[in-house]
Amino acid sequence: MDFSALNPVSLMVSLIIAATPILLAAVGELVVEKSGVLNLGVEGMMIIGAIAGFAISVETGNPWIGMLAAMFAGAILALIFGFMTQFLMSNQVATGLALTLFGLGMAALLGQSYTGMKPPSTPHLNIPVLSDLPVVGSILFSHDPMIYMSIALVTGVWYFLNRTRGGLVLRAVGENHDAAHSLGYNVVLIRMGAIAFGGACAGLGGAYLSLVRVPQWTEGMTAGAGWIALAIVVFASWKPWRLILGAYLFGGVTILQLNLQALGIGISAAYLSMTPYLITIIVMVIISADRRRASMNAPASLGRIFHASH
Amino acid sequence: MKFTTTLAAAAALALGLGGSAIAQTKAGFIYVGPVGDLGWSYEHDQGRQAVVEAFGDAVETTYVESVPEGADAERVMTQMALGGADIIFTTSFGYMDPTLNVAAKFPNVKFEHATGYKRADNVSTYSARFYEGRHVIGLIAGRMTESNTVGYIASFPIPEVVRGINAAYLAAKSVNPDVQFKVVWVYTWFDPGKEADAANALIEQGADVIMQHTDSPAAMTIAEEKGIFAFGQASDMMQFGPTARLSSIIDNWGPYYVERVKAVMDGTWASVDTWDGIAPGMVEIGEFSDRIPADVQAEAQAASDAIAAGTLHPFTGPINKQDGSVWLAAGETADDGTLAGMNFYVEGVEGELPN
């Protein structure tokens, strides 16, 4: 077997591109869950972001305006969920699932006239000297800016949750909404903010898929990426840094197995294609081996309806 | 997904029940992907629309898209049958056992299962001889590749897909002895992200022509972006790769669907096994790109004509299996039974066939 044909640099680049949509959606959902809300509508918000980002990019010729539009569209959809669950006290699981269905249908409708179109290309970073460095240059300094944005976003979320007062309040709301309420914090408002942020992130992840990873619009193109993002939040046991690990591991194994197949390695393709899921399961088993610690990480009020009793 | 299909089915049934009381023939269609995939499911829906066009108000059609293969499919079929469907087209290989199960419960409903091999008194099977199309585009691929490496994105290791790989490889090999096929199995019919990743992996490994047996145009988009060649699959896909697309294999289900629905209306429907190719028009070869040299275009057209005329069979011996054992002696052609159950690579295809 000639492994020299396997170029680690381009593997890394494809890995990062495959992992970024999931990472973006997952970091948003992490904040939502930290505030004590379970929004299962990630898939729906992603696909709305995918079509909104695609359509606006095509209309304006500017992918950045498209991505902003995708964030906006994702946030609007999320706020519908927020209104139903926070003000009308609807069940979060059912509402989240409905949001996914609504998003998929709505995106298909909006996207009808956009199939077969070509989006404007997203420029890649080109820093003199740095981008031209061998190996390191292509792995670290020559992506489209969204990749760096996603890492910065994870860093920002980590900083916000663990190092700021606002983050502390958000976590308090997620751990015990009654206590937070009695301290005078506006639980519903804080949660609405988190939900909108989650929607914007999911929308951006969707736009990354339709503008960079595949570049095209096809109905149902997220094909379950939102569900993987949800799984990765649990995988990361609600810790932002582990999201990067989870997303890149999943993306990496997916890309690696495709490349190994193309290389003609003597392992059956059936086993290779199983590996991303298998490794995810194994890591989850390891992480949850200590059950007490694992359950401590989950926000205590996750998915519970908050009703302010006067 | 589960909920999508259930809801969609419920909606379809609600619409169906709300229709007029005139004795209408009801035809149901179940698709594995969205009708907007611009590939496999899209073409089946074009077939459904041909039925609508042919019979107007005399036939009522309903469809449910993105139905996962397995238990969900069985539920959707059952709901369609309960909703009064007279004939149900189940359009993916993985619907085979669910179709048989539901058909056993509804002996008066006719079922048409695409690409399968199990039949019953009320279950017909139909498929197209896509391998004839694969032969034609395989010839083009063999002529057009400069790196002598053709990348092939395969979905599931079922006879249908294996047959396509073998047919394309043999044709490419016949015009280019140095050609090599790299096959990547993605284990999905529709996942644009993964299909794009697979195309990138193949290009990375030196492929300069991509063929696919998956349903979305993602690979075509990547081929266009990377400046290599690709072929439209199931539908033409021209708009996704104006320069990359060399030709395409187009599925044309309309005439068959019209014929079968007509048979139900006339009461002449019987369980049959249909396997049509280029000659009756179930498989169409898309227009050749200008980038294909005139002599190669002529060669491909000649092959297509010869297949249609019955003078050329894509599987004509001598052909050995991958392990070197003899499959077809010189001049011998493959019989339909072996083709329908094909579970081996021919000699020269690299890699192990997953089972």
Side-chain angles (χ1 to χ4, degrees):
Chain A
M1 195 51 49
D2 180 19
F3 279 102
S4 61
L6 216 51
N7 181 346
V9 177
S10 64
L11 271 185
M12 276 301 288
V13 174
S14 326
L15 171 169
I16 295 172
I17 292 176
T20 298
I22 308 173
L23 180 62
L24 285 167
V27 74
E29 179 66 13
L30 180 128
V31 171
V32 177
E33 294 192 12
K34 272 288 183 190
S35 80
V37 178
L38 183 65
N39 184 354
L40 294 183
V42 181
E43 179 87 1
M45 302 186 297
M46 276 186 92
I47 193 114
I48 280 288
I51 182 58
F54 189 89
I56 300 298
S57 296
V58 167
E59 299 300 340
T60 62
N62 185 332
W64 308 118
I65 296 177
M67 289 195 190
L68 278 177
M71 292 173 71
F72 186 71
I76 293 287
L77 200 64
L79 284 174
I80 298 176
F81 168 87
F83 177 73
M84 310 246 310
T85 56
Q86 303 307 308
F87 292 98
L88 306 180
M89 313 282 171
S90 69
N91 178 293
Q92 292 180 6
V93 171
T95 312
L97 289 172
L99 196 71
T100 290
L101 300 184
F102 175 68
L104 286 168
M106 183 82 180
L109 185 69
L110 291 174
Q112 267 171 358
S113 52
Y114 288 98
T115 35
M117 285 193 178
K118 199 174 150 53
S121 64
T122 315
H124 282 219
L125 203 62
N126 195 359
I127 311 168
V129 187
L130 280 183
S131 301
D132 300 331
L133 289 175
V135 186
V136 184
S138 357
I139 295 181
L140 295 181
F141 301 112
S142 59
H143 299 292
D144 53 278
M146 282 309 300
I147 304 264
Y148 306 100
M149 256 284 297
S150 67
I151 305 283
L153 195 63
V154 174
T155 315
V157 163
W158 168 82
Y159 185 82
F160 171 75
L161 286 176
N162 296 299
R163 295 284 184 273
T164 67
R165 189 175 168 77
L168 186 67
V169 172
L170 184 125
R171 284 189 291 140
V173 167
E175 292 299 338
N176 188 335
H177 47 218
D178 294 320
H181 176 65
S182 62
L183 286 172
Y185 293 116
N186 189 334
V187 173
V188 169
L189 199 67
I190 290 166
R191 285 186 170 168
M192 287 298 279
I195 290 168
F197 176 78
C201 289
L204 189 61
Y208 190 80
L209 191 67
S210 64
L211 290 175
V212 182
R213 189 175 172 207
V214 181
Q216 70 178 33
W217 164 250
T218 318
E219 234 181 282
M221 70 180 301
T222 45
W227 299 107
I228 292 167
L230 275 163
I232 281 176
V233 174
V234 181
F235 174 101
S237 49
W238 295 272
K239 292 190 192 316
W241 292 119
R242 290 195 194 163
L243 283 182
I244 302 187
L245 181 76
Y248 282 22
L249 189 68
F250 186 84
V253 181
T254 305
I255 294 296
L256 189 65
Q257 67 96 356
L258 290 173
N259 274 276
L260 286 177
Q261 281 197 46
L263 194 61
I265 191 174
I267 302 174
S268 170
Y271 295 116
L272 284 173
S273 60
M274 254 185 251
T275 45
Y277 308 95
L278 208 62
I279 289 188
T280 310
I281 291 170
I282 291 171
V283 175
M284 285 185 86
V285 167
I286 295 170
I287 285 178
S288 57
D290 187 349
R291 289 188 62 191
R292 217 166 46 85
R293 277 196 59 193
S295 57
M296 266 171 64
N297 282 332
S301 294
L302 186 60
R304 283 174 44 203
I305 291 180
F306 170 69
H307 194 283
S309 40
H310 300 284
Chain B
M1 257 326 112
K2 188 184 296 176
F3 291 83
T4 326
T5 55
T6 320
L7 282 184
L13 290 175
L15 287 173
L17 292 171
S20 60
I22 313 164
Q24 264 185 333
T25 303
K26 289 188 184 174
F29 294 79
I30 298 175
Y31 308 136
V32 71
V35 292
D37 68 357
L38 271 289
W40 177 260
S41 295
Y42 171 81
E43 289 297 336
H44 281 286
D45 198 57
Q46 294 293 308
R48 181 189 66 83
Q49 289 175 25
V51 171
V52 173
E53 212 162 283
F55 302 111
D57 288 340
V59 173
E60 184 185 307
T61 66
T62 55
Y63 70 87
V64 183
E65 56 185 337
S66 300
V67 178
E69 300 175 334
D72 280 329
E74 212 164 311
R75 196 151 43 236
V76 175
M77 287 171 210
T78 306
Q79 279 167 331
M80 271 190 179
L82 287 172
D86 299 295
I87 180 166
I88 298 176
F89 293 88
T90 60
T91 64
S92 188
F93 178 78
Y95 297 154
M96 180 159 66
D97 289 329
T99 303
L100 268 292
N101 293 345
V102 177
K105 288 182 218 152
F106 297 94
N108 294 326
V109 180
K110 315 298 181 203
F111 290 82
E112 295 269 349
H113 177 233
T115 71
Y117 53 81
K118 292 185 186 168
R119 280 169 293 281
D121 285 346
N122 60 335
V123 181
S124 281
T125 51
Y126 64 100
S127 184
R129 295 180 186 266
F130 302 116
Y131 67 88
E132 297 182 349
R134 295 270 171 204
H135 177 89
V136 177
I137 67 169
L139 285 177
I140 301 172
R143 291 284 186 202
M144 297 300 287
T145 176
E146 280 171 16
S147 63
N148 289 328
T149 308
V150 174
Y152 204 110
I153 304 170
S155 49
F156 295 96
I158 56 171
E160 164 73 42
V161 178
V162 177
R163 203 162 52 231
I165 296 169
N166 285 335
Y169 173 76
L170 288 170
K173 178 95 173 171
S174 71
V175 295
N176 180 352
D178 298 324
V179 81
Q180 199 197 1
F181 269 44
K182 287 184 183 293
V183 183
V184 167
W185 298 91
V186 290
Y187 286 89
T188 177
W189 287 113
F190 179 81
D191 182 344
K194 204 166 184 185
E195 292 169 51
D197 291 344
N200 275 316
L202 287 164
I203 294 166
E204 185 60 36
Q205 298 301 327
D208 62 353
V209 178
I210 299 274
M211 287 190 189
Q212 64 175 83
H213 205 140
T214 47
D215 298 349
S216 95
M220 181 63 84
T221 310
I222 298 295
E224 180 77 18
E225 196 179 78
K226 295 282 167 73
I228 62 154
F229 296 125
F231 295 94
Q233 163 66 11
S235 109
D236 198 52
M237 298 187 180
M238 168 73 100
Q239 68 269 49
F240 294 96
T243 52
R245 179 196 157 286
L246 290 173
S247 180
S248 56
I249 301 177
I250 304 170
D251 309 349
N252 181 16
W253 303 109
Y256 180 77
Y257 287 174
V258 169
E259 179 195 318
R260 299 305 285 171
V261 172
K262 183 91 173 47
V264 169
M265 296 164 87
D266 298 346
T268 56
W269 191 96
S271 172
V272 290
D273 177 27
T274 304
W275 203 13
D276 282 345
I278 291 178
M282 197 180 258
V283 175
E284 287 175 6
I285 305 294
E287 199 186 330
F288 297 130
S289 151
D290 294 343
R291 298 181 71 188
I292 307 175
D295 56 329
V296 178
Q297 289 196 24
E299 182 182 43
Q301 189 58 50
S304 174
D305 294 344
I307 290 172
T311 54
L312 170 66
H313 192 294
F315 292 101
T316 304
I319 302 173
N320 290 347
K321 294 185 181 180
Q322 193 185 32
D323 59 14
S325 63
V326 176
W327 174 37
L328 295 173
E332 199 185 343
T333 55
D335 63 281
D336 281 359
T338 316
L339 287 181
M342 189 176 257
N343 58 357
F344 56 86
Y345 279 149
V346 294
E347 193 172 46
V349 178
E350 286 175 29
E352 189 194 339
L353 179 63
N355 43 26

